[in-house]
Structure formats: structure tokens, C-alpha cells
Amino acid sequence: MTEVLSAPLVVEFPFTRSLGPVQSAFLTGLRERTVLGVRTADGKVLVPPVEYDPGTAEELRDLVKVAATGTVTTWAWNPGPRRGQPLDTAFAWVLVRLDGADTALLHALDAPGPDAVRTGMRVRVRWAAERTGAITDIACFEPYEEGEATGHQITAHSGEFGGETAVTGIVAPARLDYTYSPGRAQSQYIHALSGRRTVGERCPSCRKVYVPPRGACPTCGVATAEQVEVGPRGTVTTFCIVNIKAKGLDIEVPYVYGHIALDGADLALHGRIGGIPYDQVRMGLRVEPVWTDGGRYPDHYRPTGEPDADYDTYKELL
Amino acid sequence: MTGEFRDVAIVAFAQTDHRRRTDELSEVEMLMPVLHEVLERTGLATADIGFTCSGSSDYLAGRAFSFTMALDGVGAWPPISESHVEMDGAWALYEAWVKLQTGEADTALVYSYGKSSPGSVRDVLTRQLDPYYLAPLWPDSVALAALQAQALIDAGDTDEPALAGVAARSRDAARANSHAQIGGSVPQGDYVVRPLRTGDCPPIGDGAAAVVLAAGERARELCGRPAWIRGIDHRIEPHSLGVRDLTDSPSTRLAAERAGAFARPVDTAELHAPFTSQEVVLRKALRLGDDVTVNPSGGALAANPVMAAGLIRLGEAAARVHRGASDRAFAHATSGPCLQQNLVAVLEGDPR
Amino acid sequence: MSNAPRPSGKEPVAVVGIGQTKHVAARRDVSIAGLVREAARRALLDAELTWADIDAVVIGKAPDFFEGVMMPELYLADALGAVGKPMLRVHTAGSVGGSTALVAANLVAGRVHGTVLTLAFEKQSESNAMWGLSLPVPFQQPLLAGAGGFFAPHIRAYMRRTGAPDTVGSLVAYKDRRNALKNPFAHLHEHDITLEKVQAAPMLWDPVRYSETCPSSDGACAMILTDRAGAARAPRPPAWMHGGAMRSEPTMFAGKDFVSPQAGKDCAADVYRQAGITDPRREIDAVEMYVPFSWYEPMWLENLGFAAEGEGWKLTESGVTELDGDLPVNMSGGVLSANPIGASGMIRFAEAALQVRGQAGEHQVAGARRALGHAYGGGSQFFSMWLVGTEPPTT
């Protein structure tokens, strides 16, 4: 059995998130070093403020200002910070009930060690030096032993900050790293391609040849294993003419994107048709692969010069 | 619920050997043998199945529409009546149970699979969180569970030695489970996120599971001692940890009440508690005494293929009923940070 | 839950509330929660119900990568009043909006719950759908042609098979965009649309013109489904479900007919059997079908049994599918006029229900008594459909 392939897969995107009024006010407030909460119909103050009452589902819009000091309600010491977390040295995750709030906010606490952290300890917000209107405008919390809880000094707040532009959206970059392994059947297929051979697998039950093989015959639900080399020639079963440049692909438009049934295969695979003017490509055209150095897949398929295949010979492969 | 709903039973269960990595297998290559095994146990073929439902996650796989390729393992030809939830397979089982309640099908195939090995599951699960206030901080799944564990310790509900006891009991039980990823004597190890140590956390790995459901007489034809679903229900809680009482699981309790769980005592409970501390919460919510055998399979602490681990709890509880080791059992599944969403099923065997 | 003996057969399912957002390219004024909430609130208002009247929530959307939130129902539980209730999340690719409604309907039909909120959404402006669909998975051949390039070759195969003239696709787009002008929720409102403009649009993926493709939208759609008792209390006429089905076939397989997939035919046949329909062309008054590229209208007309094989394009060409035609199709403007991907299937189901309730406003088909809602996805492998009517089902 050939070696199983694997390679890194990075899934990364800067998501653009619009906030709605309550979250907009909260994040604008953080930028202005102010912590807002939202008051429910029964008078509870939720910090961070949410748009809808977790208990009743009613819409919440009654903003209030709370203190930047509070009390730890639970904590967990994180000896090994991970990418993206608020601090890059060991810290405590904490839930903090800010003075004036009835619920707790999750964030990091900068403390010298786990022995310096306890439930019930007093903390205060350490503001980030550069604030943009994001939860990370709170750099973290820090111990604040001198400050006793000084009652619930909440005040109503309009959610507006004296002419300053409100934050209405955030950009949330997210990156996850995976190691992708395509499994046995596809690994064998890709290995064969490196020798410029196209090797499919035959279903032991229905005898159909799958290219590329996926490890299972999808109609019979059984493993495929018998290797069958197909092609290299094949028939264009159908196609479209692409007039819009595909992102990240260095192909001049227009070009032809075709479905190609390689001789001996029971379903078509996809590829570019070249070596012929785009407006002369037709269903039934006989083609063969053209390889370029270093390419894992054929660069494109070109006409063989054979007569076109009769429609009846490939209509089942459409 | 008995008498109000159509009688439906779990009649077969199969699972992979759960392993840290399965690089040599694509998802469908990992799943397909399990599908074959569970169908063989009932003598059914895909064409005999009335409804098929699966559970999986694109985020775990790192690819959109990953479930569409897993369907290759079913052999969906001629076309089948089929659905998919982006949830643990326990909820796929629930959807299938509902389908059988409509009378449109008498049998159902339910499967789920998860490969945690390609990505970093601790980081992947941060993407489940509130995208505005939580996800930008990347609080990982162990960190959130540790906050819950500390709350339990502060409340006097448990302590570190007791948590170590849960870990030891689970790994000891897993000795008898040939599918388990880890078992036997496993050191508690260092803190991952204090107060949780390595031993308090589930192993990371890959696996798949499948069950067959059948209604009424069909269940008796397919299984010597069907595991009747006497009740099944699931409930969700607010998302934010800061508005919840982390020492309790009201959604588990409510689901259990709705499932008729407290009508009579159970002998067995398969709880989906990936962290030792979560077993403490669930025991309290489900009012489990010391006379109940909890997680005889070793539970998620012995094998935790994400998206399948909940369905496996239902399968393990049913398998004990099938072989006469249990007469009435709870099966529980969870989803979301710190037990946000919970499903409870009550399984019973016919009197012996 | 009563102790009364269980009645035999399925509980009839009624649609008593429908809500959707105004679909647009980007809803920058709301969060994801705010978007779904808007549709849900409108459905509750329509049904004159409150959050407390809802027993369970069933939510659907297309891949989580589109918004970059894994299993977003966890975060959305609060906004949808699901706390303390059961919440299910369905994902069956492009058909998901339809499948989600059917899962919710089964909760009522199986007498598990009395009243269920079902909702589907997509907030495409949070990312870029083509990014989500073409993650850089190693070893795989790069996607050569984008979304339209996947479907255009199948359209060419349809044209070859049926001899349809190449003008038919433009007729569909022209009709749907005009219909959209009568639907305040549609994304595209092209007031100056003409057939000439549709035909003059550039060919992106020949034979698919730019004007014959769907937009990328932010939007949500919600419905309240209930049982007979709930329907009796409804303030407005309900739509009754007469049949519903899902069918799946593999993604790619030897012998797959991409032009008219067997799963689509089987799904429609199941729905017609449940509803007692023997001649869909005569017995169904209006159709909302999932047409992301204009040519799929004639293709689905055949697949769904409204026309013989090879004849679907003739219905389109002769005006049968126009709003004032004999079998109106996509009265709302369809997916060609609004495509919040995960919600698009549910919008088809909801628009079918609006028609038989007589609530479709300017795009109402006079006297519509039975309407079909249709959704498909995953490279024509997943299908979900329902048939709704003005009268309760008799069986």
C-alpha cells in the first residue's frame, strides 16, 4: 500500500460582522473606556449587554453604565496561552461581575500566578492602549485589592458618545490550522497521477469504474479496491465557456471548462479544454491530457484529432 | 410518555475503534465499516431502511459540505429519504425518532462521525462561541470547562481528588471496552487549565458510530431484546456562561422530566461528560445515586470522537439493554460550551 | 402531554405564521441574531403568538463557514426564544431551508409538539460564499470555474437533450425579475428591466448570462407550524400541508442524471402520492421552485412532472409559467431575485404557503388552492418539497 498523503490546510478569513444597536453601543463604549450593560424588564443588569433577554426573549435596549471594577465569580489558571488569546504569558481566565451588573463577563486576568487568584477577588479593567471598538479593547483585568465593592452605581446611558463615530461593525479574523489527509483511495489516485497515470477503482458489486476513486462506491455503499487504469484519452461530454476570471487562477478568459469521460471510466471528471479555439469545442470532442512539469493534474486536455464520439456513446455519462 | 408515543427501539449499535489519528482513512472510509456492521446485526440492507439521518460538523473537518461525501458509504441508490443535522449524532437519532413517530417510516439508520485529528479541537470549538464578545478571545474548550470546574469546587460540590476519582473509575471501566481509546491506569498528570488536569480531560481522537431504530413489532423481529425509547427530550440554555449557574444543568433536568426519567429508578446511566467535572453536574441534575452504574463504557473520558460521542452514549446504553446487563437506563448527550444543550433518553428492555 | 389515547395517523400540519426579512446584499444594521430575530418576530406577529406559545425551534442554514460561526444555533438560542426549549439545527446543503421546515413539520405531525418555530438564514456579507465553498483543500484540483461553472455544463446537456432554443433562459430571468417588482422582500428590484437588457448581459459561463444568475443576499425566513387546535385559533387562514418529502442521492456517481436527477423525481412522486395528486400540471395552481440559474426552471418543470421529458422549455416559452399564466412559477421572483443561501429553500416553502393563504399581496395568484414549494442542493443530490393547500388534508 502506498504512503498516505497529508498536507497543511489553513482555513483563514477576516469576517466582517455588523453589530446591531446594543452591541454597537457596548463596543463603542469600550473604545471610550466605558462599560455599558443592558437592563431587563425585571431590573437585572446584563454585562456584557445582549440584544435579547435570555429568560424572556424580549428585546433589550435600556442601556446603563456600570463600573470598570468588579468581582471574580470563577476562574481558571491557563499556564499555556494559545494563539489569539488575550495575553501571551500565563494568565487566569475569569468570569467577572462588574459593580452594578448582575451577570458576569468572560475575559483574562493578568496575575503573577494561580496563588494570586481566588473567587471573590476584586479586579478592574486594564484598557488596551489602542482601542478600536472590540472586546479586546479590554486588554485584560488586573487585581484591584484596594477597591471594595461600592454599591451598584449604575446610571442610564444613551449609548451615544458625544459626537464620536459609533462602532457599527468589527472585523474578526479567524485562522484554523488543519492537517488534511485524503485517505487511502485518493492517496493512491494522487500517487498514480504523479506518474501521469489516471487510476480509478472498480466497484466489486456494480463493476463501475470510479475516477477519482473515493474509497466507496456511492450507489452500492461498498469499498472499492480493484485498481483500473483509464484514459489517457477521453470524450468531452459537456462544457461551458468561462468568461469571468476565476479568483487565484492564472488562466486567460475565455476558456472552456469541460466534463471529460476518460476511456474506461464510468463517470466524467472535470478539466480545461485547450489547443482549440474556445468556440470550436463541442460535445463529443475527443481529447487527451497535456501535462506540465510539476503539475499534479493535467494542465488541460487537447483534441486528439479523432472523429467526434457519437452522442449515444456518452449520453449516459452526462 | 409511555403509551402516548409510538413504541420505538434502538435495535442495533456499532462503533469504530476510537483512535488518536486515522490519517489512512477518509471520513467515508472510516465510517463505512460501521454502517455495514450495524446493518448486518439486523439483517437489513440500505434499501430496507425507511429513513436515514446523520450528524457531523464541517468545522471539525475543515471543509464545507463534508457530510455529502460521507453519504457515499450508505449507498444512497435508489435515492433514499435522508436528512442531516450539524449536531452530535444524538440529535440525528432524535430527528429519526420523530420521523418514526409520524408513521412514515418503521426503521431508521442513524450515524455520525468525527475526526478531531486534522485540526486542534480546542481551538476549533472556540468558533462555537458568541462571535462578537467571546470568539475574538479564543477561550478554548478546556478553559471553559475549567471555569465550570472551579465554580463546582467553590460551591463545595466537588474537589480535585473527587474529580480524579471520576477519571480513574471511567478509565478503569474502559478496560472492558475494546473500542475505547484510552483505559486502565491513566495518570492525572499536570494541569491543562487549572483545576483540570490531563486526566480530567477527554482523549482527542477520531471515530464513528451508527444505530438502527425500529418501531413496534419490527423492533422485535430485528432484535432479541430491543432497547425501547420510553422517553426522549432535549433542551437548550442561554449561551453566555456569565448568565448561567455553571454548577447546575437545568436543561438536563427539564429534558429528563419531559422524558419521564424520574418515574422509576434506573440501573445504568451513560452520560456525555467530556470533562470529569461535568459528570458531577449531570449526576446532580439527573439525581443519580451511588446504586446507578455510571458510564460502564468509560464514557467520553475513554473515547471522545466529537459529534459522535453523544450518539455513542445512546448506543452503549442500548447495547447493555440488548445483552441483558440493564433493564432501564439513561442515555445523555451534550452540545455547546459547559453543557449548554442536553438530550436525555430513557431506554428499557422488556421484562425478563 | 395528555394521557388521552394516541390518535392514529399523522396530525395535520398548518402554517399560521410567515415572516421574512427584506433581502439585500448586506444587512449592516443588524447582528446575525438581529437578522434571524426580524424574520421570527414577523412570523409571530402574523400568527398573533408570543415566544411563550412556541414549543420548539428548528433552524437551518448552509455551511457554517459562510458566517464563520460553528453551530451558530448555540449563540442564537437566546434571540429565538429557545431557552428552556428543544432546538434542532438542520444542514442539508442548498435544500436546507426546505428540509428544516419538514423536520419542524414532523414534530407537529408526530404529535411531539403543538407549535413549532422554524427558521432559516444566511448572512453572506459576513464573508464570501465562494471562499467558503472553495477552501484550499490540499491535493484537490482547483475549482476551475466558480459556482456557475458547476451548473452551466448541465444546462448545455439539457439544451442538447431537448433541442430547447437558447432564448428560453432569458425569458425565465425576465419573468422572475418582473415578478420580484411585486414582492417587497425580494433583493433585486430592477425597475427598468427589459428582455433586451437580460439578453444583452454578458455571458459569464456560456450558456449562462450574468442576468440569469442569482444574487448573493443577507436574509432570513421563518414560519410558525402548528396542529389542528393551533390552526383553529389562528387569526388568518392557515396553509395546510398535504405532503412533504426529502430525497437524497450520492453527489457524483456512474449513471447520475444531472439534468433530471432521480432523487428529484422520487421526491415529487412521494409528495404527490401523499397529497392525492395524479396530474400535477392540472391540480397544482402555483409553484415556487429553486431556480438559481434561469435554465433550471424548464429542467425542474420536467423533473417535477409538470411537463413531459423534453417539453419543459415549451411551458416557459409559451408563457404558462408567467404570473398570469396557467401554471405560475416563482411568483415571488424566486432565487434569481433573492438568494440568502440557507434561507432560499424555506422562502420557496413559505411563498407557496402565502399563495394558498391568499397573503401574497401583489404577486398573489388569484384563487390559488394548492401550491408546491421545492428546494434542492449539493450539486443536485438533495431534494425537499412540500405541497400546501387552502383546505385541511382529508386523509
Side-chain angles (χ1 to χ4, degrees):
Chain A
M1 182 170 147
T2 44
E3 184 196 344
V4 171
L5 296 169
S6 80
L9 162 61
V10 178
V11 176
E12 185 171 24
F13 199 84
F15 294 94
T16 50
R17 307 209 181 282
S18 47
L19 295 170
V22 170
Q23 300 185 130
S24 171
F26 177 64
L27 296 182
T28 306
L30 294 186
R31 191 189 63 194
E32 307 302 324
R33 297 177 176 239
T34 299
V35 184
L36 298 184
V38 70
R39 190 153 39 193
T40 67
D42 58 1
K44 275 176 74 175
V45 173
L46 310 182
V47 180
V50 292
E51 301 180 87
Y52 307 103
D53 189 324
T56 65
E58 290 309 317
E59 187 171 281
L60 302 175
R61 291 291 182 270
D62 184 11
L63 297 168
V64 295
K65 183 184 170 196
V66 300
T69 55
T71 305
V72 170
T73 64
T74 185
W75 62 283
W77 185 257
N78 180 20
R82 304 171 75 80
R83 184 168 70 201
Q85 295 182 344
L87 295 169
D88 53 15
T89 54
F91 67 91
W93 289 105
V94 281
L95 281 171
V96 176
R97 190 169 56 234
L98 291 171
D99 298 335
D102 294 294
T103 61
L105 174 147
L106 179 81
H107 220 293
L109 169 68
D110 189 9
D115 295 340
V117 186
R118 60 184 167 77
T119 297
M121 76 182 281
R122 298 283 297 158
V123 295
R124 69 178 171 196
V125 170
R126 179 191 295 166
W127 296 104
E130 284 181 30
R131 296 179 307 283
T132 58
I135 192 66
T136 46
D137 287 355
I138 297 176
C140 61
F141 283 88
E142 59 191 16
Y144 181 56
E145 293 302 346
E146 56 268 41
E148 289 307 305
T150 49
H152 296 297
Q153 61 281 67
I154 58 169
T155 52
H157 198 283
S158 67
E160 286 167 21
F161 291 84
E164 297 293 329
T165 317
V167 177
T168 58
I170 57 172
V171 177
R175 173 181 170 141
L176 292 169
D177 286 74
Y178 298 85
T179 302
Y180 174 73
S181 300
R184 180 202 61 81
Q186 291 185 68
S187 287
Q188 282 181 310
Y189 172 71
I190 292 159
H191 276 299
L193 282 179
S194 64
R196 299 190 175 180
R197 294 185 312 122
T198 301
V199 179
E201 287 186 355
R202 190 188 302 280
C203 172
S205 175
C206 69
R207 310 297 297 162
K208 298 287 187 190
V209 174
Y210 274 84
V211 184
R214 309 203 293 271
C217 171
T219 58
C220 303
V222 298
T224 55
E226 183 193 338
Q227 307 272 304
V228 182
E229 182 166 351
V230 300
R233 293 184 169 191
T235 301
V236 175
T237 61
T238 186
F239 63 94
C240 69
I241 302 162
V242 180
N243 288 307
I244 178 173
K245 222 167 156 58
K247 232 180 175 175
L249 279 183
D250 188 23
I251 307 174
E252 284 306 309
V253 293
Y255 62 88
V256 176
Y257 172 70
H259 293 194
I260 300 141
L262 295 179
D263 296 345
D266 283 301
L267 74 172
L269 46 70
H270 300 173
R272 184 167 67 86
I273 313 296
I276 176 173
Y278 71 90
D279 54 357
Q280 290 177 29
V281 174
R282 55 210 178 260
M283 292 165 74
L285 183 71
R286 294 284 296 160
V287 293
E288 63 190 6
V290 177
W291 297 87
T292 49
D293 286 343
R296 178 172 281 127
Y297 291 89
D299 179 71
H300 64 275
Y301 292 79
R302 69 179 172 212
T304 62
E306 294 167 277
D308 285 2
D310 187 60
Y311 182 58
D312 285 334
T313 65
Y314 65 86
K315 69 178 184 188
E316 302 298 323
L317 300 170
L318 267 174
Chain B
M1 276 168 64
T2 309
E4 194 181 349
F5 285 101
R6 192 180 185 205
D7 287 335
V8 170
I10 298 175
V11 295
F13 168 55
Q15 62 183 317
T16 53
D17 291 340
H18 306 293
R19 294 189 280 137
R20 178 65 188 90
R21 311 200 67 85
T22 52
D23 293 355
E24 73 286 9
L25 300 174
S26 65
E27 281 152 348
V28 66
E29 287 166 347
M30 177 177 78
L31 169 68
M32 194 165 45
V34 171
L35 297 175
H36 292 171
E37 184 182 339
V38 81
L39 289 173
E40 269 163 28
R41 293 202 171 164
T42 56
L44 295 172
T46 298
D48 303 323
I49 295 288
F51 183 65
T52 300
C53 197
S54 62
S56 67
S57 164
D58 279 350
Y59 252 94
L60 204 61
R63 305 188 319 285
F65 300 121
S66 53
F67 63 94
T68 65
M69 302 311 276
L71 188 62
D72 284 357
V74 174
W77 189 258
I80 60 172
S81 175
E82 189 257 356
S83 184
H84 172 263
V85 294
E86 192 83 354
M87 307 177 80
D88 185 284
W91 278 267
L93 184 149
Y94 180 82
E95 184 182 330
W97 175 82
V98 170
K99 181 76 172 183
L100 266 56
Q101 292 306 316
T102 68
E104 289 172 4
D106 294 326
T107 53
L109 171 66
V110 177
Y111 65 88
S112 63
Y113 61 91
K115 279 186 155 214
S116 297
S117 64
S120 164
V121 71
R122 280 175 75 177
D123 300 317
V124 169
L125 289 173
T126 65
R127 302 301 92 192
Q128 278 187 339
L129 303 171
D130 168 342
Y132 311 94
Y133 299 163
L134 289 179
L137 302 175
W138 296 81
D140 61 277
S141 49
V142 181
L144 298 180
L147 287 167
Q148 184 174 33
Q150 184 62 43
L152 286 160
I153 292 169
D154 290 337
D157 285 342
T158 193
D159 54 25
E160 288 197 38
L163 296 180
V166 171
R169 193 207 71 239
S170 300
R171 272 62 182 255
D172 189 55
R175 284 178 205 271
N177 177 359
S178 64
H179 300 287
Q181 187 176 330
I182 57 170
S185 179
V186 176
Q188 268 299 83
D190 294 333
Y191 288 121
V192 183
V193 180
R194 182 173 169 174
L196 294 179
R197 297 174 182 273
T198 318
D200 294 308
C201 301
I204 295 168
D206 304 349
V211 305
V212 174
L213 300 184
E217 281 310 304
R218 198 83 181 94
R220 291 196 171 83
E221 291 163 21
L222 296 172
C223 180
R225 191 172 192 246
W228 298 107
I229 301 173
R230 293 302 183 206
I232 183 167
D233 194 282
H234 59 100
R235 302 281 151 167
I236 195 165
E237 293 180 30
H239 180 62
S240 170
L241 303 187
V243 307
R244 284 153 56 187
D245 174 359
L246 295 178
T247 68
D248 196 9
S249 182
S251 59
T252 300
R253 186 179 303 110
L254 183 55
E257 281 167 4
R258 294 293 182 139
F262 303 126
R264 287 191 293 123
V266 293
D267 53 53
T268 305
E270 278 284 345
L271 307 180
H272 185 194
F275 298 92
T276 51
S277 43
Q278 294 177 340
E279 184 181 304
V280 176
V281 179
L282 294 170
R283 276 178 177 270
K284 189 160 74 171
L286 290 169
R287 305 175 202 161
L288 299 178
D290 291 338
D291 54 336
V292 178
T293 306
V294 172
N295 288 346
S297 67
L301 289 167
N304 188 39
V306 175
M307 308 314 287
L311 179 63
I312 291 170
R313 304 283 71 75
L314 285 139
E316 290 282 6
R320 282 179 77 81
V321 172
H322 294 162
R323 59 179 185 259
S326 170
D327 292 325
R328 180 173 159 95
F330 286 164
H332 160 268
T334 195
S335 177
C338 295
L339 306 173
Q340 188 191 348
Q341 187 176 22
N342 295 283
L343 178 146
V344 177
V346 182
L347 304 179
E348 280 184 7
D350 286 326
R352 283 172 287 179
Chain C
M1 296 196 185
S2 72
N3 291 319
R6 180 182 168 78
S8 63
K10 285 189 282 187
E11 176 69 23
V13 179
V15 185
V16 296
I18 295 173
Q20 51 183 312
T21 57
K22 162 75 174 96
H23 309 294
V24 296
R27 276 296 301 271
R28 302 236 187 268
D29 59 321
V30 290
S31 63
I32 299 171
L35 182 77
V36 299
R37 173 81 176 197
E38 198 170 294
R41 281 287 302 152
R42 285 175 181 163
L44 285 170
L45 279 173
D46 185 20
E48 294 182 16
L49 294 175
T50 67
W51 297 106
D53 296 315
I54 301 299
D55 298 320
V57 179
V58 184
I59 186 169
K61 68 173 298 302
D64 289 356
F65 287 111
F66 283 179
E67 287 83 8
V69 185
M70 178 184 184
M71 301 160 78
E73 64 279 5
L74 295 166
Y75 140 73
L76 292 171
D78 302 46
L80 292 174
V83 168
K85 297 173 187 173
M87 188 173 200
L88 276 168
R89 157 70 191 291
V90 181
H91 177 15
T92 61
S95 68
V96 64
S99 307
T100 303
L102 292 178
V103 172
N106 281 343
L107 285 169
V108 175
R111 297 189 178 83
V112 178
H113 295 298
T115 302
V116 178
L117 167 67
T118 185
L119 183 142
F121 77 98
E122 210 71 69
K123 198 162 183 308
Q124 293 207 61
S125 65
E126 304 265 316
S127 79
N128 171 320
M130 277 318 293
W131 170 79
L133 294 175
S134 54
L135 299 176
V137 178
F139 312 114
Q140 294 195 351
Q141 196 171 4
L143 204 62
L144 280 170
F150 182 85
F151 292 100
H154 303 312
I155 290 168
R156 183 178 301 274
Y158 172 77
M159 295 164 77
R160 169 69 177 79
R161 198 185 285 188
T162 62
D166 59 13
T167 51
V168 171
S170 302
L171 295 174
V172 175
Y174 180 49
K175 165 182 69 77
D176 285 3
R177 298 280 160 63
R178 277 180 294 134
N179 288 351
L181 294 174
K182 299 177 189 294
N183 173 10
F185 297 106
H187 175 172
L188 298 184
H189 283 148
E190 299 178 342
H191 293 282
D192 54 352
I193 186 95
T194 64
L195 182 58
E196 291 68 36
K197 282 187 182 174
V198 173
Q199 290 169 332
M203 276 289 187
L204 296 190
W205 301 281
D206 191 341
V208 174
R209 285 186 181 81
Y210 173 70
S211 55
E212 298 174 33
T213 65
C214 52
S216 165
S217 317
D218 283 359
C221 179
M223 292 191 286
I224 312 289
L225 308 184
T226 191
D227 55 14
R228 219 174 337 210
R233 293 190 295 265
R236 277 173 271 283
W240 292 95
M241 184 173 162
H242 289 230
M246 298 185 223
R247 283 295 183 283
S248 308
E249 65 183 42
T251 316
M252 289 173 284
F253 62 94
K256 179 170 175 111
D257 186 347
F258 274 100
V259 170
S260 188
Q262 188 64 39
K265 293 181 189 173
D266 291 1
C267 190
D270 191 359
V271 170
Y272 299 156
R273 179 189 55 76
Q274 292 172 39
I277 300 265
T278 53
D279 184 350
R281 171 82 169 80
R282 290 184 196 291
E283 295 174 75
I284 293 172
D285 301 317
V287 185
E288 280 281 342
M289 59 172 74
Y290 202 112
V291 175
F293 299 95
S294 61
W295 277 94
Y296 274 80
E297 176 178 300
M299 289 162 71
W300 294 143
L301 283 168
E302 296 173 27
N303 189 246
L304 297 174
F306 292 108
E309 217 154 279
E311 305 281 315
W313 61 271
K314 294 178 184 169
L315 293 191
T316 299
E317 193 179 48
S318 63
V320 167
T321 60
E322 293 271 352
L323 188 52
D324 59 358
D326 192 33
L327 181 71
V329 173
N330 290 336
M331 302 69 70
S332 67
V335 178
L336 284 178
S337 304
N339 187 30
I341 299 177
S344 289
M346 190 171 287
I347 296 169
R348 308 280 75 69
F349 277 45
E351 286 285 350
L354 280 176
Q355 290 289 339
V356 300
R357 296 174 76 203
Q359 304 273 330
E362 271 194 78
H363 63 285
Q364 177 70 45
V365 173
R369 301 183 60 78
R370 274 187 284 209
L372 182 72
H374 159 275
Y376 88 108
S380 306
Q381 77 173 123
F382 301 117
F383 292 83
S384 59
M385 304 175 202
W386 80 0
L387 193 126
V388 285
T390 49
E391 302 298 323
T394 49
T395 48

